[in-house]
Amino acid sequence: MTRQEVFEKLDRIFQDEFDDGSIHVTDGTTADDIEDWDSLAHINLIVAIENTFGMKFKMNEVTGMRNVGEIADIVLERAK
Amino acid sequence: MDLPSFSQLKKYRKRRDPAVAPACKMAILGDCATQHLAAAIGGYAQYVGLDMAVFDADYDQLNAQILDPASELYALEPDFVLLYPCAEKLLSVYYDTPAERRCDLAEDAYRRIASYWQTLSANTLANVLQFDFAAIDDGCFGSFALKTEDSFPFQLRKLNYLLAEGCRQNKNVFLVDIDAVQSRHGRSRFFEDKLYYMAKLPISLDLLPVVAKRTLDVVLALRGRVKKCVITDLDNTLWGGVIGDDGLDGIQLGELGSGPAFTHLQKWLKALKERGILLAVCSKNNEDAAREPFEKHPDMVLRMEDISIFVANWEDKASNIRYIQQMLNIGLDSMVFLDDSPFERDQVRQALPELTVPELPEDPALYVAYLQELNLFETASYSQEDAGRTKQYRDEAVRRELLQSSGSYEEYLAGLEMRAAAAPFDPFHYPRIAQLTQRSNQFNLRTVRYTEAQIEDLAGDDSHITRYYTLRDKLGDYGLISVVVLDRQSADTLFISEWLMSCRVLKRTMEEFIINDLVRLARGLGYARLIGEYVQTPKNAMVADIYERLGFRREAGLFVADTASFQENKTLIREETT
C-alpha cells in the first residue's frame, strides 16, 4: 500500500463522515481545518479508519495524533 | 441480521427536518457519553419509518435534568425518556466504595434509579425506558464472585434483578435489555475499552445499531406495532423432509436426523402461542398428508389445536396468506411468515410487502437462534386473555360453519345467543385495556394509546367516565373486546375521547349495542348531548362513517347524538350484568 493509496481512502472516509465530497486531506490537515471535526466526529473517524484498513490504533496514538499525516504514518507502519 | 451501520444511521437521522413537529419525542439521559447512542436511535427511528425527534442531554445530566422542574427535559415534553446509567460507571463507584459498604451497592443504585422513575412519573406523561446493566466480570474473585455478596458481579446481577422487579410495579417503566445484546454478541464486540477511556463511550459503534434496534423495538411496541401471528410452512420448516415423499415415519423430528432442531423450533413456536401469538399453517401439500403429523406423529410438539388456521393446498402462498389474514382479521404488518424456500419467500415478499418474511438460514440448526436474534415479538403488555386467543379463533371457525348452515345472517346472529356486559375500568382488567389501546388500529376512532399507568389514572379521575365491554355467545367467550373513555366536557355534553373495538366482533351488532348503552348512560346522567370524533389514521378507514351510520348527525367536523330524541339501533345482543 502506497502513501497515495492511503490518502485516497482517507479522503473517502473524511468525505463520508462530513458529508462533503469536496474534502481532500493532506499531511498537514488538522481538526482546525474542518469545521465539524469535533470529539464526536474524531471517534467516528478513528473507527472508520480502523475498519477500512483492518487495524486498531493504540490509545496513545489516538490521543497523540496531531494531523492527518500522522494518521497515515501509523496506518502504513501497521501495514508492514 | 442485516442492520444499517452506525454511519448509515447517522445519515438517516439527518433526513428528519428539525423544523417539522415530530410524531414523538425521546430524551436520552445517561452517566456516560450518549451522543452516539442518540444518533443511532434517531437514525434507526427514521429507518423504520417512525418520525421521532431525539434530544440528547449533556454528559452526566441525570440528576440535573430530572430533579430540576425547569430543566430542558421537562420543557421538551418527551413521550419517552431513556435512562442509561452504564455498568462501567457503576464499577468505578464500586471501587471508590469502602469494602465494608460494597454489599449495599445494588440497593443504593436501585433506590436512586427508582427515585428518577418516580420524579419522572410525577412530572411528565412520558414512558420511561430503562437500560439494564451489561454484565462485567471484573475478575477479582473469579466464579467465586457469585458466592460473595460484596463482589461486583454479584451486585450487578442483583441490581438487574431489582430493576426487573421494580419495573413490574412501575407500569410506565419498560426495561430495554441491552445485557441480552451483549450476551448474544459478546463483551469483546459490545465494549471497546479505548473508546470508553477516551470518550466515555460504553457501546462500540459496531453494536450501536443493534442497541438502537432493541430500544426502538420497545418504542414501536408501545406505539402499537406488534406481531400477532406466525404463519409457517411445513416441509423442511416445521419438520425435516417432505411429508408427501418421506411419509409419517420418514420426516425428521425428535431424535431422527436433524429432528432436534425442528423440535426446538416447534417448542419455541408453542411458547409463543402460549403467550398469545397466533399460529397458522400455509403449506403446498395435500391437506390430509399435511395434517397427519399433527394428528399422529409422536414427536410433534404442535398439534391441531395449536393452529388457528390451517391451509394446505396447491394455490400460491401469497393468496393463501391473504386468506389467513382475512380470516384472522389482523393487519398483514402484524404477521410473520416462515418458509425454508428462498423462492417462496421472494414471491410472498413481492406480493405482500407489509408482511415480515425472515430470511431463514439455510441450515435448520440456525433457525431458532436466527429468529430469536430478530426480536420480532417485543410487546408492551401481557394479559391472561392472550393465552386463550387461539381457542377464540378456533371457536370462530365453528361459527363460520354455523353461518353457512343458517338461512340468513340475522338468523345466524340470533342463534349465537350473544350476551354483552358493560363495566367501568377495574384493576383486574387494566392490563387488557391498556393492551387493546396499544394494539387496535382498525376499529379505533381516535387511536389514543394508553399505558397501564395511564389507564389507572383515567379510572380514578372524575372528569372521565370509563367503560369496557365484554361479549360471549353460546360457543365461547370473546372476553373484553371494547373500550370507551368519555370526557365530561361541559354540563350538557359528554365527549367520546376514545372508542375502540376488537375486529373479532365486527358485524355482531356489538357497535349498535355499545352506542345504545352510551346514549342511555349519558341520558341517565343528565347530559343532553353525546359527541364523537373520528381522527383519521392510515388504518382506521373502516370507522370513518360509523357515528353517522349509528344515528349521530355531522356537525362542524364532529358527530352529535341528542340523547333525548335518539333512536336506538337494532342489536341482537342481550345485556347481562357482570
Side-chain angles (χ1 to χ4, degrees), chain A residues 16-17 19 40 43-44 46-47 50 56-59 62-63, chain B residues 6-7 10-11 14 35-36 192 194-195 197-199 201 205:
Chain A
D16 192 53
E17 169 61 26
D19 236 347
L40 194 70
I43 297 290
N44 299 344
I46 293 301
V47 173
E50 289 181 341
K56 289 279 181 194
F57 291 105
K58 294 175 196 154
M59 192 159 76
V62 179
T63 50
Chain B
F6 173 73
S7 95
K10 240 173 26 156
K11 291 185 181 125
K14 289 190 183 140
Q35 303 102 303
H36 287 85
E192 203 170 335
K194 184 174 67 192
L195 296 188
Y197 289 132
M198 286 180 353
L201 186 64
L205 299 195

PDB file of all heavy atoms in Angstrom, chain A residues 16-17 19 40 43-44 46-47 50 56-59 62-63, chain B residues 6-7 10-11 14 35-36 192 194-195 197-199 201 205:
ATOM      1  N   ASP A  16     -17.141  10.987   3.641  1.00  0.00           N
ATOM      2  CA  ASP A  16     -18.325  10.290   4.129  1.00  0.00           C
ATOM      3  C   ASP A  16     -18.736  10.818   5.509  1.00  0.00           C
ATOM      4  O   ASP A  16     -19.894  11.112   5.757  1.00  0.00           O
ATOM      5  CB  ASP A  16     -18.012   8.787   4.196  1.00  0.00           C
ATOM      6  CG  ASP A  16     -19.269   7.969   4.423  1.00  0.00           C
ATOM      7  OD1 ASP A  16     -20.217   8.146   3.644  1.00  0.00           O
ATOM      8  OD2 ASP A  16     -19.291   7.180   5.385  1.00  0.00           O
ATOM      9  N   GLU A  17     -17.750  10.977   6.402  1.00  0.00           N
ATOM     10  CA  GLU A  17     -18.063  11.419   7.756  1.00  0.00           C
ATOM     11  C   GLU A  17     -18.669  12.823   7.751  1.00  0.00           C
ATOM     12  O   GLU A  17     -19.624  13.093   8.472  1.00  0.00           O
ATOM     13  CB  GLU A  17     -16.795  11.382   8.630  1.00  0.00           C
ATOM     14  CG  GLU A  17     -16.912  12.067   9.995  1.00  0.00           C
ATOM     15  CD  GLU A  17     -17.986  11.444  10.901  1.00  0.00           C
ATOM     16  OE1 GLU A  17     -18.293  10.242  10.725  1.00  0.00           O
ATOM     17  OE2 GLU A  17     -18.531  12.167  11.771  1.00  0.00           O
ATOM     18  N   ASP A  19     -19.956  14.354   5.122  1.00  0.00           N
ATOM     19  CA  ASP A  19     -20.978  14.529   4.087  1.00  0.00           C
ATOM     20  C   ASP A  19     -20.595  15.642   3.125  1.00  0.00           C
ATOM     21  O   ASP A  19     -21.407  16.498   2.792  1.00  0.00           O
ATOM     22  CB  ASP A  19     -22.323  14.892   4.765  1.00  0.00           C
ATOM     23  CG  ASP A  19     -23.393  13.909   4.345  1.00  0.00           C
ATOM     24  OD1 ASP A  19     -23.156  13.154   3.384  1.00  0.00           O
ATOM     25  OD2 ASP A  19     -24.445  13.902   4.990  1.00  0.00           O
ATOM     26  N   LEU A  40     -16.679  14.082  18.842  1.00  0.00           N
ATOM     27  CA  LEU A  40     -17.604  13.044  18.384  1.00  0.00           C
ATOM     28  C   LEU A  40     -17.172  12.513  17.018  1.00  0.00           C
ATOM     29  O   LEU A  40     -17.038  11.299  16.793  1.00  0.00           O
ATOM     30  CB  LEU A  40     -18.990  13.684  18.268  1.00  0.00           C
ATOM     31  CG  LEU A  40     -20.191  12.785  18.135  1.00  0.00           C
ATOM     32  CD1 LEU A  40     -20.428  12.065  19.447  1.00  0.00           C
ATOM     33  CD2 LEU A  40     -21.421  13.624  17.776  1.00  0.00           C
ATOM     34  N   ILE A  43     -14.015  10.281  17.041  1.00  0.00           N
ATOM     35  CA  ILE A  43     -14.256   8.862  17.329  1.00  0.00           C
ATOM     36  C   ILE A  43     -14.741   8.140  16.065  1.00  0.00           C
ATOM     37  O   ILE A  43     -14.266   7.060  15.721  1.00  0.00           O
ATOM     38  CB  ILE A  43     -15.328   8.717  18.436  1.00  0.00           C
ATOM     39  CG1 ILE A  43     -14.846   9.319  19.741  1.00  0.00           C
ATOM     40  CG2 ILE A  43     -15.740   7.258  18.616  1.00  0.00           C
ATOM     41  CD1 ILE A  43     -13.744   8.554  20.407  1.00  0.00           C
ATOM     42  N   ASN A  44     -15.679   8.769  15.366  1.00  0.00           N
ATOM     43  CA  ASN A  44     -16.214   8.141  14.150  1.00  0.00           C
ATOM     44  C   ASN A  44     -15.108   7.917  13.123  1.00  0.00           C
ATOM     45  O   ASN A  44     -15.049   6.871  12.478  1.00  0.00           O
ATOM     46  CB  ASN A  44     -17.308   9.014  13.533  1.00  0.00           C
ATOM     47  CG  ASN A  44     -18.475   9.221  14.481  1.00  0.00           C
ATOM     48  OD1 ASN A  44     -18.621   8.502  15.456  1.00  0.00           O
ATOM     49  ND2 ASN A  44     -19.296  10.222  14.192  1.00  0.00           N
ATOM     50  N   ILE A  46     -11.839   7.618  13.689  1.00  0.00           N
ATOM     51  CA  ILE A  46     -10.913   6.582  14.161  1.00  0.00           C
ATOM     52  C   ILE A  46     -11.479   5.191  13.861  1.00  0.00           C
ATOM     53  O   ILE A  46     -10.796   4.326  13.303  1.00  0.00           O
ATOM     54  CB  ILE A  46     -10.675   6.732  15.689  1.00  0.00           C
ATOM     55  CG1 ILE A  46      -9.915   8.022  15.979  1.00  0.00           C
ATOM     56  CG2 ILE A  46      -9.953   5.529  16.266  1.00  0.00           C
ATOM     57  CD1 ILE A  46      -8.576   8.126  15.304  1.00  0.00           C
ATOM     58  N   VAL A  47     -12.759   5.000  14.207  1.00  0.00           N
ATOM     59  CA  VAL A  47     -13.363   3.674  13.999  1.00  0.00           C
ATOM     60  C   VAL A  47     -13.470   3.367  12.503  1.00  0.00           C
ATOM     61  O   VAL A  47     -13.197   2.242  12.068  1.00  0.00           O
ATOM     62  CB  VAL A  47     -14.744   3.591  14.687  1.00  0.00           C
ATOM     63  CG1 VAL A  47     -15.456   2.289  14.340  1.00  0.00           C
ATOM     64  CG2 VAL A  47     -14.591   3.716  16.205  1.00  0.00           C
ATOM     65  N   GLU A  50     -10.020   2.423  11.279  1.00  0.00           N
ATOM     66  CA  GLU A  50      -9.696   1.076  11.752  1.00  0.00           C
ATOM     67  C   GLU A  50     -10.396   0.014  10.909  1.00  0.00           C
ATOM     68  O   GLU A  50      -9.793  -0.979  10.507  1.00  0.00           O
ATOM     69  CB  GLU A  50     -10.097   0.916  13.225  1.00  0.00           C
ATOM     70  CG  GLU A  50      -9.205   1.694  14.179  1.00  0.00           C
ATOM     71  CD  GLU A  50      -9.584   1.507  15.655  1.00  0.00           C
ATOM     72  OE1 GLU A  50     -10.736   1.079  15.919  1.00  0.00           O
ATOM     73  OE2 GLU A  50      -8.746   1.789  16.509  1.00  0.00           O
ATOM     74  N   LYS A  56      -6.067  -1.663  14.413  1.00  0.00           N
ATOM     75  CA  LYS A  56      -6.544  -0.940  15.598  1.00  0.00           C
ATOM     76  C   LYS A  56      -5.482   0.079  16.016  1.00  0.00           C
ATOM     77  O   LYS A  56      -4.291  -0.250  16.051  1.00  0.00           O
ATOM     78  CB  LYS A  56      -6.779  -1.914  16.765  1.00  0.00           C
ATOM     79  CG  LYS A  56      -7.992  -2.831  16.577  1.00  0.00           C
ATOM     80  CD  LYS A  56      -9.283  -2.114  16.938  1.00  0.00           C
ATOM     81  CE  LYS A  56     -10.481  -3.053  16.775  1.00  0.00           C
ATOM     82  NZ  LYS A  56     -11.744  -2.311  16.791  1.00  0.00           N
ATOM     83  N   PHE A  57      -5.905   1.282  16.318  1.00  0.00           N
ATOM     84  CA  PHE A  57      -4.992   2.262  16.912  1.00  0.00           C
ATOM     85  C   PHE A  57      -4.797   1.951  18.379  1.00  0.00           C
ATOM     86  O   PHE A  57      -5.717   1.458  19.043  1.00  0.00           O
ATOM     87  CB  PHE A  57      -5.572   3.680  16.794  1.00  0.00           C
ATOM     88  CG  PHE A  57      -5.610   4.210  15.399  1.00  0.00           C
ATOM     89  CD1 PHE A  57      -6.812   4.285  14.705  1.00  0.00           C
ATOM     90  CD2 PHE A  57      -4.443   4.643  14.775  1.00  0.00           C
ATOM     91  CE1 PHE A  57      -6.862   4.775  13.412  1.00  0.00           C
ATOM     92  CE2 PHE A  57      -4.482   5.142  13.476  1.00  0.00           C
ATOM     93  CZ  PHE A  57      -5.695   5.204  12.789  1.00  0.00           C
ATOM     94  N   LYS A  58      -3.612   2.264  18.889  1.00  0.00           N
ATOM     95  CA  LYS A  58      -3.437   2.232  20.346  1.00  0.00           C
ATOM     96  C   LYS A  58      -3.976   3.542  20.903  1.00  0.00           C
ATOM     97  O   LYS A  58      -4.014   4.558  20.200  1.00  0.00           O
ATOM     98  CB  LYS A  58      -1.949   2.111  20.692  1.00  0.00           C
ATOM     99  CG  LYS A  58      -1.358   0.790  20.264  1.00  0.00           C
ATOM    100  CD  LYS A  58       0.145   0.794  20.524  1.00  0.00           C
ATOM    101  CE  LYS A  58       0.827  -0.327  19.768  1.00  0.00           C
ATOM    102  NZ  LYS A  58       2.240  -0.025  19.482  1.00  0.00           N
ATOM    103  N   MET A  59      -4.300   3.506  22.187  1.00  0.00           N
ATOM    104  CA  MET A  59      -4.927   4.694  22.761  1.00  0.00           C
ATOM    105  C   MET A  59      -4.005   5.916  22.667  1.00  0.00           C
ATOM    106  O   MET A  59      -4.457   7.010  22.335  1.00  0.00           O
ATOM    107  CB  MET A  59      -5.325   4.443  24.208  1.00  0.00           C
ATOM    108  CG  MET A  59      -6.231   5.536  24.731  1.00  0.00           C
ATOM    109  SD  MET A  59      -7.189   5.045  26.137  1.00  0.00           S
ATOM    110  CE  MET A  59      -5.957   5.106  27.393  1.00  0.00           C
ATOM    111  N   VAL A  62      -4.165   7.542  19.346  1.00  0.00           N
ATOM    112  CA  VAL A  62      -5.374   8.340  19.091  1.00  0.00           C
ATOM    113  C   VAL A  62      -5.269   9.695  19.775  1.00  0.00           C
ATOM    114  O   VAL A  62      -5.578  10.729  19.195  1.00  0.00           O
ATOM    115  CB  VAL A  62      -6.638   7.610  19.591  1.00  0.00           C
ATOM    116  CG1 VAL A  62      -7.877   8.458  19.334  1.00  0.00           C
ATOM    117  CG2 VAL A  62      -6.776   6.264  18.902  1.00  0.00           C
ATOM    118  N   THR A  63      -4.806   9.665  21.031  1.00  0.00           N
ATOM    119  CA  THR A  63      -4.751  10.936  21.757  1.00  0.00           C
ATOM    120  C   THR A  63      -3.571  11.790  21.286  1.00  0.00           C
ATOM    121  O   THR A  63      -3.596  13.005  21.429  1.00  0.00           O
ATOM    122  CB  THR A  63      -4.635  10.699  23.277  1.00  0.00           C
ATOM    123  OG1 THR A  63      -3.574   9.765  23.509  1.00  0.00           O
ATOM    124  CG2 THR A  63      -5.922  10.125  23.846  1.00  0.00           C
TER     125      THR A  63
ATOM    126  N   PHE B   6     -23.574   2.111  11.773  1.00  0.00           N
ATOM    127  CA  PHE B   6     -23.704   3.351  12.529  1.00  0.00           C
ATOM    128  C   PHE B   6     -23.609   4.565  11.605  1.00  0.00           C
ATOM    129  O   PHE B   6     -24.380   5.514  11.728  1.00  0.00           O
ATOM    130  CB  PHE B   6     -22.634   3.426  13.627  1.00  0.00           C
ATOM    131  CG  PHE B   6     -22.623   4.747  14.330  1.00  0.00           C
ATOM    132  CD1 PHE B   6     -23.629   5.080  15.216  1.00  0.00           C
ATOM    133  CD2 PHE B   6     -21.625   5.680  14.074  1.00  0.00           C
ATOM    134  CE1 PHE B   6     -23.652   6.313  15.848  1.00  0.00           C
ATOM    135  CE2 PHE B   6     -21.639   6.918  14.700  1.00  0.00           C
ATOM    136  CZ  PHE B   6     -22.650   7.237  15.590  1.00  0.00           C
ATOM    137  N   SER B   7     -22.683   4.522  10.654  1.00  0.00           N
ATOM    138  CA  SER B   7     -22.532   5.719   9.823  1.00  0.00           C
ATOM    139  C   SER B   7     -23.730   5.891   8.879  1.00  0.00           C
ATOM    140  O   SER B   7     -24.119   7.020   8.567  1.00  0.00           O
ATOM    141  CB  SER B   7     -21.177   5.718   9.109  1.00  0.00           C
ATOM    142  OG  SER B   7     -21.269   5.192   7.836  1.00  0.00           O
ATOM    143  N   LYS B  10     -26.426   7.503  11.010  1.00  0.00           N
ATOM    144  CA  LYS B  10     -26.189   8.939  11.176  1.00  0.00           C
ATOM    145  C   LYS B  10     -26.809   9.719  10.022  1.00  0.00           C
ATOM    146  O   LYS B  10     -27.356  10.794  10.183  1.00  0.00           O
ATOM    147  CB  LYS B  10     -24.680   9.187  11.193  1.00  0.00           C
ATOM    148  CG  LYS B  10     -24.199   9.832  12.464  1.00  0.00           C
ATOM    149  CD  LYS B  10     -22.685   9.911  12.513  1.00  0.00           C
ATOM    150  CE  LYS B  10     -22.101   9.940  11.130  1.00  0.00           C
ATOM    151  NZ  LYS B  10     -20.827  10.508  10.918  1.00  0.00           N
ATOM    152  N   LYS B  11     -26.711   9.138   8.814  1.00  0.00           N
ATOM    153  CA  LYS B  11     -27.289   9.818   7.639  1.00  0.00           C
ATOM    154  C   LYS B  11     -28.810   9.756   7.657  1.00  0.00           C
ATOM    155  O   LYS B  11     -29.466  10.728   7.290  1.00  0.00           O
ATOM    156  CB  LYS B  11     -26.738   9.203   6.361  1.00  0.00           C
ATOM    157  CG  LYS B  11     -25.271   9.529   6.214  1.00  0.00           C
ATOM    158  CD  LYS B  11     -24.687   9.048   4.919  1.00  0.00           C
ATOM    159  CE  LYS B  11     -23.214   9.414   4.894  1.00  0.00           C
ATOM    160  NZ  LYS B  11     -22.359   8.273   4.649  1.00  0.00           N
ATOM    161  N   LYS B  14     -30.299  12.502   9.625  1.00  0.00           N
ATOM    162  CA  LYS B  14     -30.324  13.835   9.004  1.00  0.00           C
ATOM    163  C   LYS B  14     -31.530  14.034   8.102  1.00  0.00           C
ATOM    164  O   LYS B  14     -31.836  15.147   7.701  1.00  0.00           O
ATOM    165  CB  LYS B  14     -29.041  14.060   8.198  1.00  0.00           C
ATOM    166  CG  LYS B  14     -27.833  14.235   9.093  1.00  0.00           C
ATOM    167  CD  LYS B  14     -26.619  14.691   8.319  1.00  0.00           C
ATOM    168  CE  LYS B  14     -25.402  14.783   9.233  1.00  0.00           C
ATOM    169  NZ  LYS B  14     -24.194  14.317   8.596  1.00  0.00           N
ATOM    170  N   GLN B  35     -24.130  10.850  22.903  1.00  0.00           N
ATOM    171  CA  GLN B  35     -24.404  11.448  21.589  1.00  0.00           C
ATOM    172  C   GLN B  35     -24.482  10.387  20.494  1.00  0.00           C
ATOM    173  O   GLN B  35     -25.315  10.463  19.598  1.00  0.00           O
ATOM    174  CB  GLN B  35     -23.325  12.465  21.169  1.00  0.00           C
ATOM    175  CG  GLN B  35     -23.107  13.596  22.141  1.00  0.00           C
ATOM    176  CD  GLN B  35     -21.863  13.336  22.963  1.00  0.00           C
ATOM    177  OE1 GLN B  35     -21.750  12.314  23.627  1.00  0.00           O
ATOM    178  NE2 GLN B  35     -20.934  14.261  22.913  1.00  0.00           N
ATOM    179  N   HIS B  36     -23.559   9.421  20.553  1.00  0.00           N
ATOM    180  CA  HIS B  36     -23.570   8.379  19.517  1.00  0.00           C
ATOM    181  C   HIS B  36     -24.850   7.542  19.606  1.00  0.00           C
ATOM    182  O   HIS B  36     -25.446   7.193  18.595  1.00  0.00           O
ATOM    183  CB  HIS B  36     -22.350   7.465  19.659  1.00  0.00           C
ATOM    184  CG  HIS B  36     -21.073   8.116  19.220  1.00  0.00           C
ATOM    185  ND1 HIS B  36     -20.328   8.910  20.044  1.00  0.00           N
ATOM    186  CD2 HIS B  36     -20.430   8.096  18.036  1.00  0.00           C
ATOM    187  CE1 HIS B  36     -19.268   9.351  19.379  1.00  0.00           C
ATOM    188  NE2 HIS B  36     -19.303   8.867  18.153  1.00  0.00           N
ATOM    189  N   GLU B 192     -15.672  -1.425  23.738  1.00  0.00           N
ATOM    190  CA  GLU B 192     -14.313  -1.178  23.275  1.00  0.00           C
ATOM    191  C   GLU B 192     -13.620  -0.266  24.285  1.00  0.00           C
ATOM    192  O   GLU B 192     -13.922   0.924  24.379  1.00  0.00           O
ATOM    193  CB  GLU B 192     -14.341  -0.552  21.883  1.00  0.00           C
ATOM    194  CG  GLU B 192     -13.047  -0.785  21.163  1.00  0.00           C
ATOM    195  CD  GLU B 192     -13.126  -0.398  19.693  1.00  0.00           C
ATOM    196  OE1 GLU B 192     -14.238  -0.404  19.121  1.00  0.00           O
ATOM    197  OE2 GLU B 192     -12.085  -0.054  19.140  1.00  0.00           O
ATOM    198  N   LYS B 194     -10.848   1.264  24.688  1.00  0.00           N
ATOM    199  CA  LYS B 194     -10.231   2.521  24.278  1.00  0.00           C
ATOM    200  C   LYS B 194     -11.283   3.631  24.136  1.00  0.00           C
ATOM    201  O   LYS B 194     -11.083   4.752  24.602  1.00  0.00           O
ATOM    202  CB  LYS B 194      -9.556   2.264  22.922  1.00  0.00           C
ATOM    203  CG  LYS B 194      -8.783   3.398  22.352  1.00  0.00           C
ATOM    204  CD  LYS B 194      -8.054   2.936  21.087  1.00  0.00           C
ATOM    205  CE  LYS B 194      -9.038   2.601  19.972  1.00  0.00           C
ATOM    206  NZ  LYS B 194      -8.403   1.889  18.837  1.00  0.00           N
ATOM    207  N   LEU B 195     -12.415   3.285  23.535  1.00  0.00           N
ATOM    208  CA  LEU B 195     -13.464   4.301  23.328  1.00  0.00           C
ATOM    209  C   LEU B 195     -14.074   4.746  24.654  1.00  0.00           C
ATOM    210  O   LEU B 195     -14.470   5.891  24.810  1.00  0.00           O
ATOM    211  CB  LEU B 195     -14.567   3.778  22.403  1.00  0.00           C
ATOM    212  CG  LEU B 195     -14.158   3.458  20.977  1.00  0.00           C
ATOM    213  CD1 LEU B 195     -15.387   3.132  20.135  1.00  0.00           C
ATOM    214  CD2 LEU B 195     -13.391   4.611  20.348  1.00  0.00           C
ATOM    215  N   TYR B 197     -12.364   4.750  27.628  1.00  0.00           N
ATOM    216  CA  TYR B 197     -11.357   5.591  28.305  1.00  0.00           C
ATOM    217  C   TYR B 197     -11.296   6.982  27.679  1.00  0.00           C
ATOM    218  O   TYR B 197     -11.245   7.990  28.365  1.00  0.00           O
ATOM    219  CB  TYR B 197      -9.976   4.948  28.199  1.00  0.00           C
ATOM    220  CG  TYR B 197      -9.817   3.696  29.039  1.00  0.00           C
ATOM    221  CD1 TYR B 197      -9.266   2.545  28.482  1.00  0.00           C
ATOM    222  CD2 TYR B 197     -10.197   3.673  30.379  1.00  0.00           C
ATOM    223  CE1 TYR B 197      -9.109   1.390  29.237  1.00  0.00           C
ATOM    224  CE2 TYR B 197     -10.050   2.522  31.137  1.00  0.00           C
ATOM    225  CZ  TYR B 197      -9.505   1.380  30.567  1.00  0.00           C
ATOM    226  OH  TYR B 197      -9.355   0.255  31.301  1.00  0.00           O
ATOM    227  N   MET B 198     -11.322   7.018  26.345  1.00  0.00           N
ATOM    228  CA  MET B 198     -11.117   8.299  25.660  1.00  0.00           C
ATOM    229  C   MET B 198     -12.360   9.168  25.636  1.00  0.00           C
ATOM    230  O   MET B 198     -12.278  10.385  25.706  1.00  0.00           O
ATOM    231  CB  MET B 198     -10.697   8.046  24.199  1.00  0.00           C
ATOM    232  CG  MET B 198      -9.273   7.576  24.062  1.00  0.00           C
ATOM    233  SD  MET B 198      -8.826   7.303  22.329  1.00  0.00           S
ATOM    234  CE  MET B 198     -10.324   7.497  21.461  1.00  0.00           C
ATOM    235  N   ALA B 199     -13.515   8.541  25.475  1.00  0.00           N
ATOM    236  CA  ALA B 199     -14.712   9.339  25.177  1.00  0.00           C
ATOM    237  C   ALA B 199     -15.917   8.961  26.029  1.00  0.00           C
ATOM    238  O   ALA B 199     -17.014   9.442  25.769  1.00  0.00           O
ATOM    239  CB  ALA B 199     -15.065   9.190  23.700  1.00  0.00           C
ATOM    240  N   LEU B 201     -17.537   6.309  26.000  1.00  0.00           N
ATOM    241  CA  LEU B 201     -18.487   5.673  25.087  1.00  0.00           C
ATOM    242  C   LEU B 201     -18.549   4.181  25.439  1.00  0.00           C
ATOM    243  O   LEU B 201     -17.599   3.453  25.170  1.00  0.00           O
ATOM    244  CB  LEU B 201     -17.983   5.880  23.654  1.00  0.00           C
ATOM    245  CG  LEU B 201     -18.871   5.433  22.524  1.00  0.00           C
ATOM    246  CD1 LEU B 201     -20.162   6.216  22.505  1.00  0.00           C
ATOM    247  CD2 LEU B 201     -18.140   5.609  21.193  1.00  0.00           C
ATOM    248  N   LEU B 205     -19.232   1.291  18.249  1.00  0.00           N
ATOM    249  CA  LEU B 205     -20.028   1.785  17.119  1.00  0.00           C
ATOM    250  C   LEU B 205     -20.599   0.615  16.331  1.00  0.00           C
ATOM    251  O   LEU B 205     -21.682   0.696  15.742  1.00  0.00           O
ATOM    252  CB  LEU B 205     -19.169   2.664  16.197  1.00  0.00           C
ATOM    253  CG  LEU B 205     -18.560   3.936  16.801  1.00  0.00           C
ATOM    254  CD1 LEU B 205     -18.062   4.856  15.701  1.00  0.00           C
ATOM    255  CD2 LEU B 205     -19.533   4.671  17.706  1.00  0.00           C
TER     256      LEU B 205
END
